[in-house]
Amino acid sequence: MEEEDDYVEYVPVAKRRALEAQNILQRKGKASAATDDDLEKQRVAETKPSLLVKASQLKREQPEISVTEQIVQQEKEMIENLSDRKTLMSVRELAKGITYTEPLPTGWKPPLHVRRMSKKECDLIRKQWHIIVDGGDIPPPIKNFKDMRFPEPVLKKLKAKGIVQPTPIQVQGLPVILSGRDMIGIAFTGSGKTLVFVLPMIMMAMQEEIMMPIVPGEGPFGLIICPSRELARQTYEVIEQFLIPLKEAGYPELRPLLCIGGVDMRSQLDIVKKGVHIVVATPGRLKDMLAKKKMNLDNCRYLTLDEADRLVDLGFEDDIREVFDHFKAQRQTLLFSATMPTKIQNFARSALVKPIIVNVGRAGAANLDVIQEVEYVKQEAKIVYLLECLQKTPPPVLIFCENKADVDDIHEYLLLKGVEAVAIHGGKDQEEREYAIAAFKAGKKDVLVATDVASKGLDFPDIQHVINYDMPAEIENYVHRIGRTGRCGKTGIATTFINKNQSETTLLDLKHLLQEAKQRIPPVLAELNDPMEDNEEITDISGVKGCAYCGGLGHRIRDCPKLEHQKSMAIANNRKDYFGSGGYRGEI
């Protein structure tokens, strides 16, 4: 028989015992030969300190960190956790690790005399116009529309609208966007932000159309996303105002599309079938059309998020991420708002390529052309006092409330008192909302009663007076509301009713905002115990004044009411699934 490879010879029991005894003797011999040094080492090992003792020793050795430094460290961690949660990029870009390093070329160049301006001259113009810029390789500011190389019909239309000279955000913002750079634009409400992203988009779409005319079913080249239907319609109307004179002057026809909910989708699809150049949309309807493959973003290379922070706050963050998934190539991305806290800027940087931040005034600061009056009014006396406030100025007047029920109650009360009033809130159908806005803008109605749906970006040119029937819980909403008056260099009045229903944090934010704008501070706010006076040391170390999350000056991020509210909303949404509801959200 051939021997197997894994064969092991059998060892008798007696022989095994003898081998084991020999091994034991050898080990004992080695142990007895151990030196005194070994015994000493053994003794030291036995008296080694425990982990708890070591930990307490390390704590004693560490340099002491002051309470202020601890708070700053905590705030840094909170902001990092918020901004790193998700990046604003498409799934394909994340999966394939695609990163764009260079901005999109546009072929636009300013005139030679502008290009030859020295850095010192550029900085002097920015200082004169109170423009703060951040980023590399910033295009020079341009002080007139002609040097921005807009076509003659556009210049004539601007003149006809009474816009002769660019506003500060336009002086720097337009050259940045025309150069093809990604941008975060921060400027107070009523400063002419809409033209900053509308005019370059029209130029870009015109250039594409001349080079390669659009075919049916193609497009868009440019996309603007707005938080409310009213703001989307207003932006769409601004675009139309410039496209009509261009077409009349013999330029190629550009087709815009208003893509919003509450309107029959078939009429929107008819325009898409012809080929569309520019789309102004709200997130819900846009997501719906892209999901149903009624429209694509294969050729889209220009994206603007108007009132970007409001889009995120209103819960559209995931909808915008889904829209990003439909882009097939690099795009020029622009974010605009009056209140752009640090968390949105961090969130945006992930999607922007070498972004330039153009800031006119502090993000979240109130418009200085508005006289802010704050009055203490008991809850039950508010509706009666409202009539007295309406006497302060001639119409038109805007009244803001926190909830829909109050809007309806005030609207009814004013009608009974013979006031020509209209109302708007999210519960009304699209037709009613459009009629209310149109009648108020045309001057047929004197008073508009609204929820915050009318506070974001809507342009009512001649509003004399804004009344905050309720002080909003978040200071950002207050800034947006009062910005409906005092637009384009005109002055206006904002009256705000406060009482014990408001939280102390909200009132402190209001107090600091009034101080910053050098407005009169009522005694009820002046008497408040202000923790921010004790927190000046924290501000010096962290460099962040007030709250980095919502921009409020009266509190730090740890006490932010907006952050608390959003956390509780997230918990409520998570709970829904346990009780069998939620999970899928219906799209109308």
Side-chain angles (χ1 to χ4, degrees):
M1 276 178 70
E2 287 181 19
E3 281 188 1
E4 290 181 21
D5 291 342
D6 57 350
Y7 172 74
V8 180
E9 189 188 348
Y10 174 72
V11 181
V13 174
K15 195 175 177 181
R16 271 187 275 175
R17 279 179 183 160
L19 284 165
E20 190 64 36
Q22 202 176 335
N23 285 341
I24 290 164
L25 284 167
Q26 277 178 351
R27 281 202 295 272
K28 276 186 177 175
K30 277 181 187 174
S32 61
T35 61
D36 292 342
D37 289 348
D38 292 339
L39 290 167
E40 186 61 35
K41 279 178 189 171
Q42 201 175 340
R43 253 198 319 277
V44 169
E46 282 168 8
T47 58
K48 202 160 74 171
S50 70
L51 288 171
L52 281 169
V53 173
K54 271 189 175 179
S56 60
Q57 278 175 350
L58 281 168
K59 269 187 182 175
R60 279 198 296 273
E61 286 165 18
Q62 269 182 349
E64 273 192 40
I65 301 172
S66 68
V67 178
T68 308
E69 284 170 339
Q70 279 178 351
I71 292 167
V72 171
Q73 191 59 39
Q74 279 174 0
E75 287 187 0
K76 263 190 187 166
E77 283 168 18
M78 284 176 85
I79 294 163
E80 278 166 19
N81 289 341
L82 288 165
S83 58
D84 292 347
R85 195 173 48 196
K86 294 171 186 171
T87 51
L88 188 64
M89 292 166 82
S90 75
V91 170
R92 189 177 64 91
E93 287 167 4
L94 288 168
K96 292 186 177 178
I98 299 169
T99 49
Y100 304 110
T101 53
E102 288 305 312
L104 281 171
T106 60
W108 176 87
K109 275 185 181 175
L112 195 61
H113 71 89
V114 174
R115 274 179 280 162
R116 283 184 173 162
M117 273 164 60
S118 67
K119 189 180 181 297
K120 196 177 178 183
E121 285 176 288
C122 292
D123 289 342
L124 199 69
I125 293 170
R126 289 180 191 127
K127 194 178 178 184
Q128 183 189 340
W129 293 74
H130 305 288
I131 301 164
I132 302 158
V133 283
D134 184 21
D137 208 12
I138 301 157
I142 301 176
K143 292 194 284 183
N144 62 67
F145 290 115
K146 199 173 182 184
D147 284 349
M148 293 178 194
R149 303 213 153 150
F150 289 121
E152 198 58 41
V154 170
L155 295 173
K156 279 182 180 171
K157 185 65 194 173
L158 286 167
K159 204 170 182 183
K161 282 167 72 78
I163 304 164
V164 184
Q165 200 180 24
T167 61
I169 189 75
Q170 292 164 0
V171 164
Q172 183 63 73
L174 281 165
V176 166
I177 300 169
L178 289 164
S179 306
R181 298 293 297 272
D182 286 4
M183 176 175 143
I184 297 172
I186 305 163
F188 59 84
T189 53
S191 59
K193 289 193 292 286
T194 307
L195 285 184
V196 179
F197 55 82
V198 161
L199 293 177
M201 181 162 65
I202 292 171
M203 295 301 99
M204 182 273 300
M206 187 69 73
Q207 187 182 334
E208 293 283 336
E209 177 64 17
I210 291 167
M211 284 163 63
M212 183 75 72
I214 208 165
V215 297
E218 242 186 6
F221 295 131
L223 172 66
I224 298 171
I225 303 178
C226 305
S228 73
R229 296 171 187 179
E230 283 71 29
L231 182 54
R233 181 170 288 282
Q234 180 182 289
T235 307
Y236 173 78
E237 284 166 2
V238 171
I239 291 167
E240 273 194 321
Q241 283 172 9
F242 288 98
L243 293 184
I244 293 161
L246 280 167
K247 189 186 169 187
E248 286 169 357
Y251 284 86
E253 183 191 0
L254 297 183
R255 279 182 292 277
L257 167 67
L258 179 62
C259 179
I260 58 172
V263 178
D264 184 20
M265 196 190 273
R266 278 171 297 187
S267 62
Q268 296 173 356
L269 292 176
D270 290 342
I271 301 169
V272 175
K273 280 173 190 166
K274 288 180 194 171
V276 64
H277 297 81
I278 294 166
V279 170
V280 185
T282 47
R285 177 57 62 91
L286 176 66
K287 194 181 85 170
D288 204 20
M289 284 182 84
L290 291 171
K292 289 176 179 171
K293 303 231 176 337
K294 304 288 185 192
M295 186 167 75
N296 64 65
L297 299 177
D298 296 0
N299 296 329
C300 192
R301 44 165 289 182
Y302 186 104
L303 171 69
T304 298
L305 303 181
D306 192 13
E307 304 294 346
D309 58 324
R310 314 306 299 156
L311 280 166
V312 175
D313 292 344
L314 295 168
F316 291 128
E317 190 178 328
D318 293 327
D319 290 350
I320 291 163
R321 286 181 200 286
E322 281 185 47
V323 170
F324 264 74
D325 290 340
H326 291 269
F327 282 95
K328 295 287 187 288
Q330 188 182 350
R331 69 235 144 230
Q332 184 180 0
T333 312
L334 314 165
L335 281 79
F336 281 88
S337 188
T339 51
M340 186 82 77
T342 317
K343 60 126 186 178
I344 301 280
Q345 292 181 38
N346 293 346
F347 164 75
R349 277 193 177 95
S350 61
L352 307 192
V353 183
K354 291 186 176 172
I356 292 173
I357 298 173
V358 179
N359 193 334
V360 181
R362 183 184 70 82
N367 184 347
L368 298 178
D369 292 332
V370 180
I371 299 160
Q372 299 173 59
E373 293 184 355
V374 177
E375 301 191 28
Y376 187 90
V377 187
K378 286 183 180 173
Q379 195 65 26
E380 59 275 15
K382 272 159 85 170
I383 202 155
V384 181
Y385 187 60
L386 194 62
L387 280 177
E388 212 173 295
C389 273
L390 288 173
Q391 310 298 324
K392 275 189 189 179
T393 62
V397 178
L398 240 171
I399 300 170
F400 281 111
C401 307
E402 279 288 84
N403 56 56
K404 298 170 191 176
D406 280 347
V407 169
D408 290 334
D409 290 347
I410 291 165
H411 183 214
E412 198 177 326
Y413 176 76
L414 292 176
L415 289 175
L416 287 170
K417 296 290 179 185
V419 178
E420 288 288 324
V422 279
I424 171 178
H425 57 66
K428 291 184 177 287
D429 63 43
Q430 191 57 25
E431 213 173 303
E432 277 184 284
R433 286 164 71 162
E434 282 180 16
Y435 166 74
I437 295 281
F440 185 62
K441 275 191 173 180
K444 291 175 187 170
K445 301 288 177 183
D446 296 336
V447 176
L448 174 65
V449 191
T451 53
D452 279 320
V453 76
S455 74
K456 322 290 188 310
L458 289 189
D459 184 32
F460 304 110
D462 300 309
I463 286 199
Q464 307 279 331
H465 193 182
V466 168
I467 300 171
N468 286 313
Y469 183 80
D470 302 301
M471 171 68 199
E474 292 164 20
I475 200 71
E476 287 174 73
N477 286 347
Y478 172 81
V479 171
H480 279 280
R481 284 179 181 188
I482 69 166
R484 296 315 100 211
T485 183
R487 296 179 79 79
C488 304
K490 295 172 187 167
T491 52
I493 298 173
T495 305
T496 304
F497 297 168
I498 58 166
N499 54 37
K500 289 194 171 82
N501 286 12
Q502 276 78 48
S503 71
E504 196 163 306
T505 311
T506 305
L507 296 177
L508 282 168
D509 283 343
L510 179 60
K511 176 186 171 182
H512 280 267
L513 202 69
L514 292 171
Q515 276 174 345
E516 186 188 45
K518 296 185 169 56
Q519 303 279 338
R520 188 185 73 85
I521 294 162
V524 67
L525 291 182
E527 287 164 12
L528 286 174
N529 179 29
D530 193 348
M532 289 306 283
E533 285 168 6
D534 310 326
N535 285 346
E536 277 176 16
E537 198 184 333
I538 300 171
T539 305
D540 294 340
I541 296 173
S542 68
V544 178
K545 195 178 179 188
C547 176
Y549 189 75
C550 73
L553 296 174
H555 65 274
R556 305 293 298 176
I557 190 168
R558 293 165 301 140
D559 312 312
C560 182
K562 181 174 171 181
L563 188 56
E564 283 301 312
H565 174 67
Q566 290 192 342
K567 279 181 187 170
S568 58
M569 288 290 281
I571 293 163
N573 289 340
N574 287 344
R575 278 190 190 144
K576 275 183 186 175
D577 292 345
Y578 294 115
F579 301 109
S581 62
Y584 290 98
R585 193 173 67 195
E587 190 73 39
I588 298 167

